[in-house]
Amino acid sequence: MTASPDLGTSRLASPDLLRSVFRRHAAGVAVITAPGGGGPVGFTATSLTSVSAEPPVISFGIGVGASSWPAISESDHVGVHVLGEHQQELAATFARSGADRFGAPTRWRKGPEGVPVLDDVLAWLVCRVVARVPAGDHRIVLAEVVLGDPSGAGRPLLYHQGRFNGLRD
């Protein structure tokens, strides 16, 4: 699949082009969690971004059709978990539709503001949601960092070419 050579024409590319390009982009893997009326919710995200240091603000994207969206759309706080390369199965569980994401073997606890906090991650944050910005079939969530723990051991999990991978030297 290649881009059109007619770069002077103003039109949108296909979703397939976007997906193909971003398969070549290695991204860190995170799990976003939130308390929900029917129990905790969460999903795997590769769209986590540091937005601002003063104040500390992060962003992530979520599809409005995602099963976690109703809870994320109403929650005041979310959990952000940076996964280690030893957590490929956890990433897959939170990415799989219909999975029991918080059942065994997932280990977690109820954290500050009622946010589910996953165990054994490289780092985690609890963030206060400050905005949900429409972006096509997704929303970009902006959230201020309230507290967290960056002390987990290990190397980061990456997503590249449609697979979870470890970082190579």
Side-chain angles (χ1 to χ4, degrees):
M1 176 171 298
T2 60
S4 167
D6 184 10
L7 297 178
T9 303
S10 178
R11 61 185 173 128
L12 293 177
S14 74
D16 289 339
L17 175 61
L18 180 67
R19 288 184 193 104
S20 294
V21 168
F22 272 86
R23 279 190 186 99
R24 296 184 175 276
H25 173 71
V29 180
V31 168
I32 310 298
T33 62
V41 301
F43 65 98
T44 299
T46 56
S47 60
L48 180 63
T49 304
S50 171
V51 174
S52 169
E54 292 292 330
V57 175
I58 60 96
S59 72
F60 61 87
I62 179 172
V64 295
S67 61
S68 296
W69 171 242
I72 298 287
S73 73
E74 296 180 0
S75 184
D76 292 331
H77 291 83
V78 294
V80 176
H81 307 82
V82 177
L83 300 190
E85 63 186 1
H86 62 286
Q87 295 178 302
Q88 290 186 21
E89 187 54 42
L90 182 67
T93 297
F94 275 83
R96 193 169 27 253
S97 181
D100 181 6
R101 296 172 179 160
F102 291 90
T106 301
R107 294 185 343 223
W108 65 281
R109 64 191 180 284
K110 189 174 183 179
E113 304 296 339
V115 171
V117 174
L118 301 176
D119 291 345
D120 199 30
V121 294
L122 296 187
W124 60 267
L125 299 168
V126 170
C127 303
R128 184 178 65 83
V129 175
V130 295
R132 296 170 185 90
V133 181
D137 61 355
H138 279 61
R139 296 297 180 266
I140 305 301
V141 178
L142 296 167
E144 289 181 330
V145 176
V146 175
L147 56 91
D149 181 358
S151 66
R155 295 165 55 105
L157 181 62
L158 300 178
Y159 188 74
H160 181 250
Q161 294 287 48
R163 296 185 337 211
F164 297 114
N165 298 281
L167 183 65
R168 288 186 235 151
D169 290 329

mmCIF file of all heavy atoms in Angstrom, residues 109-134:
data_model
loop_
_atom_site.group_PDB
_atom_site.id
_atom_site.type_symbol
_atom_site.label_atom_id
_atom_site.label_comp_id
_atom_site.label_asym_id
_atom_site.label_seq_id
_atom_site.Cartn_x
_atom_site.Cartn_y
_atom_site.Cartn_z
ATOM 1 N N ARG A 109 -5.503 -4.029 42.946
ATOM 2 C CA ARG A 109 -6.104 -3.583 44.205
ATOM 3 C C ARG A 109 -6.848 -2.288 43.952
ATOM 4 O O ARG A 109 -6.588 -1.586 42.974
ATOM 5 C CB ARG A 109 -5.036 -3.397 45.270
ATOM 6 C CG ARG A 109 -4.042 -2.298 44.936
ATOM 7 C CD ARG A 109 -2.824 -2.315 45.872
ATOM 8 N NE ARG A 109 -1.879 -1.275 45.572
ATOM 9 C CZ ARG A 109 -1.023 -1.263 44.562
ATOM 10 N NH1 ARG A 109 -1.001 -2.266 43.709
ATOM 11 N NH2 ARG A 109 -0.192 -0.263 44.383
ATOM 12 N N LYS A 110 -7.764 -1.979 44.841
ATOM 13 C CA LYS A 110 -8.473 -0.706 44.758
ATOM 14 C C LYS A 110 -7.538 0.372 45.298
ATOM 15 O O LYS A 110 -7.080 0.304 46.435
ATOM 16 C CB LYS A 110 -9.758 -0.769 45.585
ATOM 17 C CG LYS A 110 -10.653 0.415 45.398
ATOM 18 C CD LYS A 110 -11.964 0.190 46.142
ATOM 19 C CE LYS A 110 -12.917 1.327 45.924
ATOM 20 N NZ LYS A 110 -14.184 1.081 46.623
ATOM 21 N N GLY A 111 -7.229 1.348 44.455
ATOM 22 C CA GLY A 111 -6.280 2.388 44.816
ATOM 23 C C GLY A 111 -6.957 3.696 45.162
ATOM 24 O O GLY A 111 -8.175 3.751 45.371
ATOM 25 N N PRO A 112 -6.179 4.767 45.204
ATOM 26 C CA PRO A 112 -6.721 6.093 45.505
ATOM 27 C C PRO A 112 -7.856 6.463 44.552
ATOM 28 O O PRO A 112 -7.833 6.105 43.377
ATOM 29 C CB PRO A 112 -5.510 7.013 45.302
ATOM 30 C CG PRO A 112 -4.322 6.126 45.502
ATOM 31 C CD PRO A 112 -4.739 4.783 44.984
ATOM 32 N N GLU A 113 -8.836 7.163 45.077
ATOM 33 C CA GLU A 113 -10.006 7.605 44.310
ATOM 34 C C GLU A 113 -10.800 6.431 43.743
ATOM 35 O O GLU A 113 -11.569 6.588 42.800
ATOM 36 C CB GLU A 113 -9.604 8.562 43.182
ATOM 37 C CG GLU A 113 -8.824 9.781 43.626
ATOM 38 C CD GLU A 113 -9.627 10.711 44.544
ATOM 39 O OE1 GLU A 113 -10.883 10.651 44.532
ATOM 40 O OE2 GLU A 113 -9.004 11.498 45.265
ATOM 41 N N GLY A 114 -10.602 5.228 44.306
ATOM 42 C CA GLY A 114 -11.323 4.046 43.841
ATOM 43 C C GLY A 114 -10.809 3.470 42.531
ATOM 44 O O GLY A 114 -11.412 2.558 41.967
ATOM 45 N N VAL A 115 -9.684 3.990 42.043
ATOM 46 C CA VAL A 115 -9.128 3.547 40.764
ATOM 47 C C VAL A 115 -8.476 2.175 40.925
ATOM 48 O O VAL A 115 -7.684 1.969 41.846
ATOM 49 C CB VAL A 115 -8.100 4.581 40.243
ATOM 50 C CG1 VAL A 115 -7.350 4.055 39.036
ATOM 51 C CG2 VAL A 115 -8.797 5.892 39.916
ATOM 52 N N PRO A 116 -8.766 1.229 40.032
ATOM 53 C CA PRO A 116 -8.062 -0.058 40.065
ATOM 54 C C PRO A 116 -6.582 0.150 39.727
ATOM 55 O O PRO A 116 -6.253 0.770 38.717
ATOM 56 C CB PRO A 116 -8.738 -0.876 38.965
ATOM 57 C CG PRO A 116 -9.995 -0.148 38.629
ATOM 58 C CD PRO A 116 -9.785 1.278 38.981
ATOM 59 N N VAL A 117 -5.695 -0.354 40.584
ATOM 60 C CA VAL A 117 -4.247 -0.247 40.377
ATOM 61 C C VAL A 117 -3.708 -1.662 40.169
ATOM 62 O O VAL A 117 -3.882 -2.527 41.027
ATOM 63 C CB VAL A 117 -3.556 0.442 41.572
ATOM 64 C CG1 VAL A 117 -2.043 0.417 41.411
ATOM 65 C CG2 VAL A 117 -4.066 1.874 41.734
ATOM 66 N N LEU A 118 -3.077 -1.873 39.015
ATOM 67 C CA LEU A 118 -2.524 -3.183 38.682
ATOM 68 C C LEU A 118 -1.199 -3.410 39.391
ATOM 69 O O LEU A 118 -0.393 -2.488 39.526
ATOM 70 C CB LEU A 118 -2.316 -3.287 37.172
ATOM 71 C CG LEU A 118 -3.565 -3.105 36.314
ATOM 72 C CD1 LEU A 118 -3.190 -3.123 34.839
ATOM 73 C CD2 LEU A 118 -4.609 -4.154 36.632
ATOM 74 N N ASP A 119 -0.951 -4.644 39.818
ATOM 75 C CA ASP A 119 0.291 -5.017 40.482
ATOM 76 C C ASP A 119 1.385 -5.313 39.465
ATOM 77 O O ASP A 119 1.106 -5.707 38.330
ATOM 78 C CB ASP A 119 0.081 -6.264 41.348
ATOM 79 C CG ASP A 119 -0.792 -5.996 42.560
ATOM 80 O OD1 ASP A 119 -1.002 -4.820 42.906
ATOM 81 O OD2 ASP A 119 -1.271 -6.988 43.146
ATOM 82 N N ASP A 120 2.620 -5.166 39.893
ATOM 83 C CA ASP A 120 3.803 -5.613 39.156
ATOM 84 C C ASP A 120 4.034 -4.897 37.829
ATOM 85 O O ASP A 120 4.608 -5.449 36.905
ATOM 86 C CB ASP A 120 3.722 -7.136 38.938
ATOM 87 C CG ASP A 120 5.067 -7.744 38.599
ATOM 88 O OD1 ASP A 120 6.093 -7.203 39.049
ATOM 89 O OD2 ASP A 120 5.084 -8.747 37.864
ATOM 90 N N VAL A 121 3.561 -3.642 37.730
ATOM 91 C CA VAL A 121 3.809 -2.854 36.519
ATOM 92 C C VAL A 121 5.084 -2.035 36.695
ATOM 93 O O VAL A 121 5.589 -1.884 37.805
ATOM 94 C CB VAL A 121 2.609 -1.931 36.196
ATOM 95 C CG1 VAL A 121 1.381 -2.762 35.837
ATOM 96 C CG2 VAL A 121 2.299 -0.978 37.344
ATOM 97 N N LEU A 122 5.624 -1.498 35.597
ATOM 98 C CA LEU A 122 6.831 -0.674 35.703
ATOM 99 C C LEU A 122 6.554 0.634 36.432
ATOM 100 O O LEU A 122 7.398 1.129 37.175
ATOM 101 C CB LEU A 122 7.396 -0.362 34.322
ATOM 102 C CG LEU A 122 7.900 -1.530 33.491
ATOM 103 C CD1 LEU A 122 8.587 -1.010 32.239
ATOM 104 C CD2 LEU A 122 8.840 -2.403 34.293
ATOM 105 N N ALA A 123 5.386 1.195 36.191
ATOM 106 C CA ALA A 123 5.010 2.460 36.825
ATOM 107 C C ALA A 123 3.498 2.607 36.735
ATOM 108 O O ALA A 123 2.859 2.039 35.836
ATOM 109 C CB ALA A 123 5.689 3.628 36.113
ATOM 110 N N TRP A 124 2.926 3.355 37.667
ATOM 111 C CA TRP A 124 1.501 3.642 37.592
ATOM 112 C C TRP A 124 1.231 5.065 38.058
ATOM 113 O O TRP A 124 2.011 5.655 38.812
ATOM 114 C CB TRP A 124 0.653 2.647 38.367
ATOM 115 C CG TRP A 124 0.924 2.562 39.846
ATOM 116 C CD1 TRP A 124 1.773 1.708 40.469
ATOM 117 C CD2 TRP A 124 0.352 3.379 40.878
ATOM 118 N NE1 TRP A 124 1.772 1.931 41.828
ATOM 119 C CE2 TRP A 124 0.901 2.956 42.103
ATOM 120 C CE3 TRP A 124 -0.570 4.411 40.895
ATOM 121 C CZ2 TRP A 124 0.557 3.533 43.334
ATOM 122 C CZ3 TRP A 124 -0.916 4.995 42.114
ATOM 123 C CH2 TRP A 124 -0.355 4.547 43.313
ATOM 124 N N LEU A 125 0.125 5.605 37.557
ATOM 125 C CA LEU A 125 -0.345 6.940 37.931
ATOM 126 C C LEU A 125 -1.831 6.880 38.223
ATOM 127 O O LEU A 125 -2.550 6.082 37.620
ATOM 128 C CB LEU A 125 -0.152 7.941 36.776
ATOM 129 C CG LEU A 125 1.253 8.202 36.273
ATOM 130 C CD1 LEU A 125 1.197 8.973 34.955
ATOM 131 C CD2 LEU A 125 2.049 8.954 37.322
ATOM 132 N N VAL A 126 -2.288 7.723 39.111
ATOM 133 C CA VAL A 126 -3.707 8.028 39.250
ATOM 134 C C VAL A 126 -3.854 9.463 38.782
ATOM 135 O O VAL A 126 -3.090 10.344 39.206
ATOM 136 C CB VAL A 126 -4.209 7.850 40.700
ATOM 137 C CG1 VAL A 126 -5.622 8.401 40.853
ATOM 138 C CG2 VAL A 126 -4.169 6.379 41.092
ATOM 139 N N CYS A 127 -4.791 9.670 37.861
ATOM 140 C CA CYS A 127 -4.954 10.980 37.226
ATOM 141 C C CYS A 127 -6.401 11.446 37.310
ATOM 142 O O CYS A 127 -7.324 10.634 37.216
ATOM 143 C CB CYS A 127 -4.556 10.902 35.754
ATOM 144 S SG CYS A 127 -2.871 10.320 35.460
ATOM 145 N N ARG A 128 -6.573 12.761 37.445
ATOM 146 C CA ARG A 128 -7.901 13.380 37.444
ATOM 147 C C ARG A 128 -8.232 13.821 36.026
ATOM 148 O O ARG A 128 -7.481 14.579 35.403
ATOM 149 C CB ARG A 128 -7.936 14.588 38.381
ATOM 150 C CG ARG A 128 -9.310 15.248 38.508
ATOM 151 C CD ARG A 128 -9.279 16.403 39.487
ATOM 152 N NE ARG A 128 -8.425 17.485 39.016
ATOM 153 C CZ ARG A 128 -8.818 18.439 38.147
ATOM 154 N NH1 ARG A 128 -10.032 18.418 37.650
ATOM 155 N NH2 ARG A 128 -7.984 19.385 37.786
ATOM 156 N N VAL A 129 -9.334 13.324 35.497
ATOM 157 C CA VAL A 129 -9.744 13.670 34.137
ATOM 158 C C VAL A 129 -10.152 15.142 34.090
ATOM 159 O O VAL A 129 -10.951 15.602 34.903
ATOM 160 C CB VAL A 129 -10.904 12.771 33.658
ATOM 161 C CG1 VAL A 129 -11.405 13.218 32.290
ATOM 162 C CG2 VAL A 129 -10.461 11.308 33.634
ATOM 163 N N VAL A 130 -9.556 15.884 33.139
ATOM 164 C CA VAL A 130 -9.874 17.307 33.000
ATOM 165 C C VAL A 130 -10.599 17.619 31.698
ATOM 166 O O VAL A 130 -11.254 18.667 31.585
ATOM 167 C CB VAL A 130 -8.619 18.200 33.140
ATOM 168 C CG1 VAL A 130 -8.059 18.090 34.550
ATOM 169 C CG2 VAL A 130 -7.554 17.869 32.117
ATOM 170 N N ALA A 131 -10.511 16.739 30.685
ATOM 171 C CA ALA A 131 -11.222 16.975 29.422
ATOM 172 C C ALA A 131 -11.310 15.680 28.634
ATOM 173 O O ALA A 131 -10.467 14.790 28.755
ATOM 174 C CB ALA A 131 -10.499 18.033 28.590
ATOM 175 N N ARG A 132 -12.355 15.611 27.816
ATOM 176 C CA ARG A 132 -12.552 14.535 26.841
ATOM 177 C C ARG A 132 -12.840 15.229 25.508
ATOM 178 O O ARG A 132 -13.897 15.818 25.338
ATOM 179 C CB ARG A 132 -13.699 13.634 27.264
ATOM 180 C CG ARG A 132 -13.429 12.892 28.572
ATOM 181 C CD ARG A 132 -14.694 12.197 29.090
ATOM 182 N NE ARG A 132 -14.468 11.591 30.382
ATOM 183 C CZ ARG A 132 -14.661 12.209 31.555
ATOM 184 N NH1 ARG A 132 -15.078 13.453 31.605
ATOM 185 N NH2 ARG A 132 -14.427 11.568 32.685
ATOM 186 N N VAL A 133 -11.881 15.157 24.602
ATOM 187 C CA VAL A 133 -11.949 15.914 23.362
ATOM 188 C C VAL A 133 -12.374 14.994 22.216
ATOM 189 O O VAL A 133 -11.703 13.986 21.958
ATOM 190 C CB VAL A 133 -10.572 16.545 23.038
ATOM 191 C CG1 VAL A 133 -10.632 17.359 21.756
ATOM 192 C CG2 VAL A 133 -10.085 17.391 24.213
ATOM 193 N N PRO A 134 -13.468 15.316 21.504
ATOM 194 C CA PRO A 134 -13.868 14.496 20.355
ATOM 195 C C PRO A 134 -12.779 14.484 19.283
ATOM 196 O O PRO A 134 -12.191 15.525 18.966
ATOM 197 C CB PRO A 134 -15.126 15.193 19.836
ATOM 198 C CG PRO A 134 -15.637 15.987 20.997
ATOM 199 C CD PRO A 134 -14.413 16.407 21.761
#
